[in-house]
Amino acid sequence: MNPADAYNLCCKYHGKRVRISDSSGRVHVGEITKVDRRQVWILPDRRHSGYGLGFWGFGGFGGEGFGYGIALGTILGIALAPIIFF
């Protein structure tokens, strides 16, 4: 996926729970909290404690609660994540 397509899709899904796969094979699941032309910020699902994300904290950087950033150029796919109740 090229960065322009990733940006447009991230804007479309802003505020929604998504599943993002990146070029290093990682899958990120959480809510998109911010998007700019270089990165998308995703707040990991608390119920999974960041499982599979390589990031174990919450609250974002600088206390703004954005989550962590993923470079748009590394995104291979974005899909709405199914809602699973445990």
Side-chain angles (χ1 to χ4, degrees), residues 5-82:
D5 290 341
Y7 173 79
N8 290 331
L9 213 50
C10 288
C11 287
K12 178 180 176 183
Y13 293 148
H14 185 269
K16 298 200 178 356
R17 186 171 175 267
V18 296
R19 185 179 146 155
I20 297 175
S21 57
D22 67 22
S23 59
S24 62
R26 290 180 294 212
V27 175
H28 311 270
V29 179
E31 179 184 338
I32 293 178
T33 57
K34 182 180 176 185
V35 181
D36 68 21
R37 293 281 178 188
R38 294 182 305 126
Q39 287 188 315
V40 57
W41 280 264
I42 186 169
L43 187 61
D45 285 347
R46 289 184 187 268
R47 69 172 166 240
H48 294 120
S49 300
Y51 176 76
L53 299 168
F55 180 82
W56 298 98
F58 297 97
F61 300 102
E64 298 187 27
F66 290 137
Y68 65 97
I70 303 169
L72 291 179
T74 66
I75 295 174
L76 295 179
I78 303 171
L80 287 174

